[in-house]
Amino acid sequence: MSHNGHPHPATFEIRVLRQDAPEEPSYWERHRLDWEPDLNITSCLQRIAAHPETTAGKPVAPVAYECNCLEEVCGSCTMLINGRTRQACSALVDKLLEDNSTEIELRPMSKFPVIRDLLVNRRRLFRALEKVKAWIPVDGYYDLGPGPRQSPEEQQQEYPLSQCMSCGCCLEACPQYTRLEVTHREGETEEALAGRERALYDQGFLGAHAISQVILFNTHPTGRLNADERTDVLMEEGGLQVCGNAQNCVAVCPKNIPLTTSIGRAGRATTLRAIKKWFDR
Amino acid sequence: MARQRVIVVGGGLAGLAATMKLAELGIDVDLMSLTPVKRSHSVCAQGGINSVNDVTRQQGDTEWLHFDDTVYGGDFLQHQPPVKEMTEWGPRIIDLMDRLGVPFNRTPEGFRDQRRFGGTLFKRTAFAGATTGQQLLYSLDEQVRRWEVAGKVTKYEFWDFLAPILDPQGVCRGCVAQDLVTMEIRAFRADAVIVGSGGCGLIYGRSTMSMACTGSAASRCYRAGAKYANGEFIQVHPTAIPGADKLRLMSESARGEGGRVWVPRRPQDPRPPRQIPESERYYFLEERYPKYGNLVPRDIATREIFNVCTREGLSVEAQRLAVYLDLTHIPRQILDIKLGGILEIYEKFQGVDPREVPMKIFPAVHYSMGGLWVDYEKSGSGGLNVGSPRNQQTNIPGLYAIGECDYQYHGANRLGANSLLSCIFSGLVVAPGVANRLESLHGGAAADQPASLYELAREDHQQAHQKLLRRSGGGENPYLLHQELGHVMTKAATVVRYNNELREAYDTVCELQSRVDKCSLSDTGNWTNQNVVFTKSLRDMFPLGRVILKGALQRDECRGAHFKPDFSMPGVEGKEPAERRRLAEAWCDRFEENTRKWLKSTVATHTADGEPALGYEDVDTSLMPPRPRLYGLIGAEVIEEAWKARAANKAAAANGNASGKGSPPAGPAANAGA
Ligand SMILES: Cc1cc2nc3c(=O)[nH]c(=O)nc-3n(C[C@H](O)[C@H](O)[C@H](O)COP(=O)(O)OP(=O)(O)OC[C@H]3O[C@@H](n4cnc5c(N)ncnc54)[C@H](O)[C@@H]3O)c2cc1C
Ligand code: SF4
Ligand code: SF4
Ligand code: FES
């Protein structure tokens, strides 16, 4: 069949790696969908939710997944699509079918604990932002006039880094970012679990996204005022030294954030900081 | 006394601004959201945020003119004091966001750059690339994270707000919510609950809004007794990219930066657009509205695009309605700097480069002007008494609403780039009021309420939840019902509205609502069950859908986004000057008559049988008397002349009276005719 002169199959299959809950085994399941114009992976998952049935016709529960903006700007819907880490909402079915015209494969991200199906727990990613103090330490929210004047060049340096949507692609692709998972203990409250989780995360690698945020805030004229605190975090356990400079991160960032440039700048900052600390002893 | 707490529902711009300000005032906050707050819908806002600035000021701009544009654009349907306060805070809010690190675009000298948006003649809009909403949200998210680390804020992300908890006196004492992962239902104690849950676009099926914009939280407050006002005012954005899952917005900034809207003069001209010579292009906005051109206010642009495609049959394509939005005359480099982000969206989702090929766009549901009714306390100077616990409070004491889910700032039509301002403003201004409320509560804190109040509320929702899961096959499919609802709403209650269609749609929606109780769930488990969560939010779309339709049905006039051709007021066509003047006077009489009758907010109250009871509330127009919006009307000049003469007479009469009593001439109102 064809649409606007482009050939397409009448139907195609989605193969999903499902998992009912944490610590449960995972399993593959196939869903057959009719082709339509302008489909992306999120709209496929919506269609599966409306008719949750396997290719063999067995009724199943809808596939759990995350989404919100559908414009690749909120970072919710990251998953592995045909093995590549990316956003479901911007993964166009027609493009995917160019590679393999019969089947599309979906898996949850592998570096984060699965909650259910394609939905994973990415709290570690946000914890890293707390750790590196990714904010401008303003005095308060009363009126104190405008912020510092900045050249357009500075703005154009900060703006790309500030577009990080915490999607986690860079972490999924990073060989040094290994999966950390705490298992739920009998009778434990959610809050207690979150506490143990945080302690574990603090030992793990921060990840490229957080390193890049350090550079963003250390560049800003006000953020710079406590640059040392952020640089120090990069020198702690799980900091910059874990990065093996594999550069996978920058290749997969959907926002084209110059992560390896940030990592390079972070390297120089930690070196300078180490020297200064040595002299200050 | 036990420590007091406040719950904020929603972590968009409004919710985060409120949270951050409350924390600064020393108040503990529980912040609840369907999504991690950093992923809230506000990230979608592309264009920018309005306020007067140093440059426009020297061109004659003032806070007062921003106020005037806002109420004029809103067809005078908003109470004026809160709007006045908001526009006065504008410059300070931009300064604050600037200090928080928002990477606003800069001029060569290092000042914040500004652009022009629809509905004004000044370059009043500050922007950060083409992701202003994202940048604003992130800087608030960062501040809230800072307070989280400091222990003042506790986040409940992936939680669904189910209902406010009211004590026997009807005071809000907390809320019930559900963990979307574990499905645990919990009752939270709070001394104030602030709802900043955003818009309700999903009632229309597909819109420009995000998937969390179901309106469920507002609907749940409404069902608990909170009033919902001006629901029928739904803004349809003139320029969206039609898609299978979502109608993605093409920001107004595309027109702000010089984008031109046109259709081929020959219907469905098969040539590639750039091969169509200028003379064969119909730049219909520029031709019909020479003063504003492509930047006419949204409702007008929407209707014109809609009409050109439907009534005049000039749609670019026959199957899919669309017009061209053309940027190809602007150098690539400039486009990349000023509009990079939004052009990438088009390219990413359509697979075509809008720098080379004109975009195809069509209107889509975009913003809810209506929302939870909220109160305010007027100050002596005509603004707000900041710190009054009444500001942003619903009719339920202790329950507040802010951001897109309140009805306060945009009247019948919102101006571009004014929403980000109203969201941050309402979030900031609610905080001191709530702080004062907490102080005045003394012993009556939520912590001292009996446990049974919370246990009962929780138990109710737990049972309702179990019942939903256990309900054996009624055979209805919630996702298909949602599609049907969206279809009915979009057809009857968007750009052009007719009473017979609205009546029919109302009945259909009631029928669909009765079917929602027969939904069979495809997932009956109790772990991360998105099926049951969606079904609950779908159920809660119906009450608001009915409010929107009934409000629209009863409002027999045209105002802002609400357009009923059967009640429109055509312009003045006569040839003779005297006749024209006479017709213009008649037009003005009719306008005044309509104002007396309809310059009122619709206020809906939920009743036991689900029927919205509608009442009407007078609008405080004490600062700026209503005047007709004449954009593009035939005979606009002569009507304006007649109107100005009337206004001058009235002012003279009023001044005569005033000086007679020896009081000074009215303050700001003296500017009215200017
Ligand atoms: C595509 C697009 C572009 C726009 N561009 C502009 C622009 O350029 N300028 C401008 O001024 N305005 C713009 N707007 C409008 C503006 O973005 C929104 O009005 C504004 O962001 C709304 O912010 P908010 O804080 O009220 O709500 P939102 O950002 O929508 O946040 C709502 C919050 O409530 C939570 N929530 C909702 N329901 C529940 C529930 N049941 N339980 C728990 N939590 C819940 C959500 O998780 C979320 O955190 C645009 C809108 C769209 C759709
Ligand atoms: S450069 Fe560092 S952060 Fe990036 S993928 Fe390699 S190891 Fe990971
Ligand atoms: S740096 Fe890029 S890939 Fe990593 S979280 Fe941010 S946006 Fe995603
Ligand atoms: S849904 Fe927001 S990035 Fe895909």
Side-chain angles (χ1 to χ4, degrees):
Chain A
M1 296 194 192
S2 80
H3 173 76
N4 283 347
H6 298 289
H8 66 81
T11 65
F12 60 96
E13 259 191 340
I14 301 235
R15 204 158 66 94
V16 192
L17 186 63
R18 302 198 60 171
Q19 181 175 335
D20 296 343
E23 296 155 61
E24 296 284 325
S26 57
Y27 56 95
W28 287 100
E29 197 172 85
R30 290 171 173 279
H31 297 267
R32 181 161 291 284
L33 294 181
D34 291 334
W35 184 92
E36 290 172 48
D38 293 334
L39 283 179
N40 58 42
I41 292 301
T42 306
S43 45
C44 292
L45 291 166
Q46 289 173 339
R47 277 156 185 69
I48 292 175
H51 297 287
E53 225 180 60
T54 65
T55 300
K58 186 177 115 200
V60 290
V63 178
Y65 67 101
E66 214 181 316
C67 74
N68 197 26
C69 69
L70 304 190
E71 293 186 2
E72 203 194 69
V73 64
C74 77
S76 292
C77 62
T78 316
M79 58 184 72
L80 299 176
I81 301 172
N82 285 349
R84 221 183 101 203
T85 176
R86 58 186 299 189
Q87 278 64 52
C89 63
S90 57
L92 305 183
V93 165
D94 287 347
K95 289 249 162 68
L96 294 166
L97 291 177
E98 278 170 19
D99 304 336
N100 177 347
S101 63
T102 57
E103 178 188 283
I104 297 168
E105 180 201 272
L106 307 182
R107 280 184 288 147
M109 296 172 90
S110 67
K111 298 293 174 69
F112 298 95
V114 172
I115 295 172
R116 181 173 182 178
D117 299 335
L118 301 171
L119 191 74
V120 295
N121 169 356
R122 280 179 283 180
R123 280 198 289 235
R124 176 176 169 195
L125 186 160
F126 291 112
R127 172 62 192 158
L129 299 181
E130 296 179 7
K131 236 184 127 181
V132 301
K133 301 183 171 42
W135 53 72
I136 305 284
V138 292
D139 290 347
Y141 312 126
Y142 291 93
D143 179 29
L144 296 172
R149 245 163 90 178
Q150 275 185 292
S151 68
E153 289 71 32
E154 274 176 305
Q155 190 269 348
Q156 280 177 42
Q157 212 171 45
E158 288 169 16
Y159 180 66
L161 305 190
S162 188
Q163 280 184 294
C164 170
M165 58 178 180
S166 301
C167 69
C169 284
C170 55
L171 310 175
E172 178 67 26
C174 171
Q176 301 302 102
Y177 199 85
T178 50
R179 174 167 168 152
L180 299 175
E181 180 165 10
V182 294
T183 49
H184 192 266
R185 290 178 184 154
E186 203 52 40
E188 187 178 37
T189 62
E190 280 297 303
E191 284 78 5
L193 179 76
R196 282 199 300 126
E197 206 182 62
R198 207 159 41 239
L200 179 67
Y201 291 166
D202 285 352
Q203 296 160 17
F205 180 34
L206 284 169
H209 76 302
I211 296 171
S212 184
Q213 291 288 300
V214 168
I215 298 306
L216 168 62
F217 289 98
N218 284 5
T219 307
H220 186 274
T222 316
R224 207 180 288 149
L225 300 178
N226 60 345
D228 286 350
E229 287 176 43
R230 293 193 200 91
T231 310
D232 285 347
V233 180
L234 294 183
M235 296 160 77
E236 290 168 7
E237 184 179 12
L240 189 66
Q241 74 284 358
V242 182
C243 168
N245 210 13
Q247 313 219 350
N248 295 6
C249 48
V250 72
V252 297
C253 174
K255 297 285 116 176
N256 299 319
I257 296 174
L259 293 169
T260 38
T261 312
S262 289
I263 290 169
R265 288 176 64 191
R268 288 191 290 282
T270 49
T271 309
L272 282 175
R273 179 84 181 127
I275 295 170
K276 177 158 186 303
K277 274 186 164 175
W278 192 83
F279 277 111
D280 286 351
R281 271 200 304 201
Chain B
M1 195 179 72
R3 259 192 110 76
Q4 294 175 312
R5 305 190 71 82
V6 169
I7 289 177
V8 175
V9 179
L13 283 173
L16 291 178
T19 302
M20 145 188 127
K21 189 69 196 174
L22 285 166
E24 178 180 53
L25 295 174
I27 295 165
D28 291 321
V29 182
D30 292 324
L31 173 59
M32 196 174 280
S33 167
L34 289 172
T35 64
V37 294
K38 190 175 176 180
R39 310 201 192 287
S40 291
H41 167 63
S42 291
V43 294
C44 290
Q46 303 162 347
I49 177 165
N50 280 343
S51 96
V52 180
N53 54 74
D54 291 339
V55 176
T56 63
R57 216 182 278 289
Q58 294 170 63
Q59 296 163 341
D61 194 14
T62 57
E63 282 80 353
W64 182 255
L65 284 180
H66 183 191
F67 162 79
D68 183 59
D69 282 340
T70 306
V71 293
Y72 182 64
D75 240 350
F76 294 89
L77 195 62
Q78 61 274 69
H79 292 305
Q80 295 182 352
V83 181
K84 174 169 186 277
E85 192 71 29
M86 170 180 86
T87 53
E88 278 171 7
W89 283 40
R92 281 176 273 153
I93 285 176
I94 309 290
D95 279 353
L96 173 60
M97 298 313 292
D98 188 14
R99 278 173 55 227
L100 299 185
V102 174
F104 286 114
N105 278 44
R106 299 284 160 173
T107 64
E109 204 180 328
F111 294 106
R112 292 185 302 251
D113 200 1
Q114 314 276 338
R115 64 158 67 114
R116 198 184 133 205
F117 245 53
T120 178
L121 297 169
F122 295 102
K123 279 192 173 182
R124 217 182 249 157
T125 307
F127 60 104
T131 60
T132 310
Q134 183 190 37
Q135 300 307 320
L136 293 170
L137 186 88
Y138 286 2
S139 58
L140 295 179
D141 172 68
E142 287 148 15
Q143 293 302 314
V144 167
R145 184 166 294 108
R146 188 179 167 206
W147 288 109
E148 198 184 0
V149 171
K152 291 305 285 177
V153 173
T154 311
K155 277 188 195 149
Y156 292 85
E157 294 176 324
F158 295 111
W159 279 75
D160 190 10
F161 166 86
L162 295 181
I165 296 177
L166 311 189
D167 71 10
Q169 285 72 46
V171 177
C172 179
R173 299 293 188 177
C175 75
V176 188
Q178 180 164 32
D179 183 329
L180 298 180
V181 172
T182 66
M183 306 314 280
E184 175 198 353
I185 294 178
R186 201 190 283 184
F188 290 79
R189 289 173 187 263
D191 299 285
V193 174
I194 304 173
V195 180
S197 57
C200 60
L202 257 72
I203 296 178
Y204 285 82
R206 290 176 308 159
S207 71
T208 63
M209 291 189 211
S210 299
M211 301 312 280
C213 301
T214 61
S216 60
S219 175
R220 290 163 191 170
C221 294
Y222 166 66
R223 297 214 319 188
K227 296 180 168 167
Y228 197 90
N230 286 343
E232 67 268 34
F233 293 94
I234 295 284
Q235 182 171 76
V236 177
H237 195 283
T239 55
I241 316 163
D245 50 341
K246 179 178 186 179
L247 310 174
R248 295 180 177 83
L249 181 89
M250 181 40 60
S251 166
E252 213 159 349
S253 55
R255 287 183 289 138
E257 294 301 342
R260 303 178 71 189
V261 176
W262 62 277
V263 287
R265 290 194 188 268
R266 173 149 49 107
Q268 289 90 53
D269 192 325
R271 286 172 293 180
R274 291 190 80 178
Q275 285 174 22
I276 300 177
E278 280 291 314
S279 61
E280 294 177 42
R281 299 177 177 194
Y282 183 17
Y283 293 95
F284 54 97
L285 292 178
E286 294 172 28
E287 278 188 28
R288 295 178 194 177
Y289 304 94
K291 185 165 166 201
Y292 286 87
N294 290 291
L295 288 173
V296 289
R298 284 192 177 165
D299 52 332
I300 293 175
T302 301
R303 218 149 43 227
E304 292 292 349
I305 295 173
F306 188 82
N307 281 340
V308 144
C309 291
T310 56
R311 253 200 324 199
E312 298 165 43
L314 290 174
S315 170
V316 169
E317 281 180 42
Q319 287 90 10
R320 209 192 306 201
L321 299 184
V323 300
Y324 289 125
L325 172 52
D326 198 342
L327 291 165
T328 57
H329 55 286
I330 302 171
R332 202 168 240 285
Q333 199 189 347
I334 293 180
L335 289 178
D336 282 339
I337 293 176
K338 299 217 158 160
L339 298 170
I342 60 173
L343 299 186
E344 276 163 28
I345 289 185
Y346 190 86
E347 207 168 355
K348 188 165 283 159
F349 291 95
Q350 298 303 104
V352 176
D353 184 354
R355 301 167 196 85
E356 298 294 332
V357 182
M359 300 180 279
K360 288 180 196 165
I361 52 102
F362 197 68
V365 165
H366 181 52
Y367 187 85
S368 357
M369 270 77 70
L372 291 167
W373 180 91
V374 292
D375 198 5
Y376 63 90
E377 191 177 311
K378 188 175 173 175
S379 72
S381 61
L384 292 189
N385 244 338
V386 176
S388 162
R390 280 172 52 197
N391 294 336
Q392 305 292 141
Q393 187 169 236
T394 68
N395 55 305
I396 297 176
L399 181 65
Y400 291 78
I402 55 176
E404 189 170 338
C405 77
D406 78 34
Y407 88 121
Q408 189 87 296
Y409 297 93
H410 308 290
N413 180 44
R414 168 183 74 100
L415 290 193
N418 248 0
S419 167
L420 299 180
L421 180 64
S422 67
C423 287
I424 299 175
F425 170 72
S426 58
L428 292 176
V429 85
V430 76
V434 165
N436 285 333
R437 174 182 164 78
L438 298 201
E439 240 161 61
S440 68
L441 281 174
H442 303 297
D448 308 323
Q449 297 295 310
S452 58
L453 179 66
Y454 300 93
E455 194 33 48
L456 282 177
R458 199 197 70 81
E459 194 51 39
D460 264 5
H461 284 272
Q462 188 70 53
Q463 276 178 12
H465 177 69
Q466 297 307 19
K467 213 171 113 196
L468 244 177
L469 290 182
R470 276 199 311 264
R471 196 159 57 201
S472 56
E476 292 291 350
N477 182 324
Y479 303 95
L480 300 185
L481 276 182
H482 180 228
Q483 277 176 21
E484 277 188 62
L485 172 67
H487 189 74
V488 176
M489 294 295 299
T490 305
K491 194 155 164 272
T494 48
V495 182
V496 183
R497 302 167 171 191
Y498 296 97
N499 282 346
N500 56 342
E501 288 183 16
L502 288 165
R503 220 171 280 124
E504 213 173 288
Y506 188 84
D507 293 341
T508 313
V509 166
C510 292
E511 194 255 329
L512 292 174
Q513 184 175 23
S514 66
R515 282 162 59 193
V516 83
D517 289 327
K518 300 193 199 92
C519 280
S520 306
L521 297 189
S522 46
D523 184 355
T524 53
N526 238 335
W527 180 263
T528 322
N529 184 338
Q530 298 183 330
N531 197 222
V532 70
V533 173
F534 178 76
T535 306
K536 281 184 195 176
S537 65
L538 171 67
R539 184 193 60 198
D540 295 327
M541 288 180 200
F542 289 96
L544 293 191
R546 289 172 68 173
V547 167
I548 293 169
L549 292 171
K550 192 168 177 183
L553 177 60
Q554 291 201 10
R555 185 176 284 278
D556 281 339
E557 65 154 353
C558 296
R559 187 176 296 280
H562 173 74
F563 182 69
K564 278 188 178 173
D566 295 342
F567 298 88
S568 66
M569 291 178 39
V572 166
E573 302 222 36
K575 288 197 184 61
E576 296 264 302
E579 188 200 357
R580 279 163 64 80
R581 182 60 187 232
R582 192 178 50 75
L583 289 172
E585 289 296 341
W587 195 98
C588 292
D589 288 343
R590 195 171 156 204
F591 175 81
E592 286 187 330
E593 161 74 20
N594 188 66
T595 302
R596 261 190 302 279
K597 193 160 164 209
W598 280 117
L599 187 58
K600 292 188 170 60
S601 295
T602 310
V603 182
T605 313
H606 187 252
T607 62
D609 64 356
E611 185 67 23
L614 301 190
Y616 292 89
E617 172 193 69
D618 285 333
V619 179
D620 180 339
T621 55
S622 55
L623 302 172
M624 171 69 69
R627 63 182 187 276
R629 286 172 92 216
L630 298 169
Y631 300 108
L633 205 63
I634 297 169
E637 331 71 53
V638 48
I639 298 176
E640 193 170 354
E641 230 177 77
W643 183 261
K644 279 193 171 153
R646 279 186 192 208
N649 283 343
K650 268 188 215 150
N655 275 344
N657 287 343
S659 47
K661 286 193 216 114
S663 47
N671 291 332

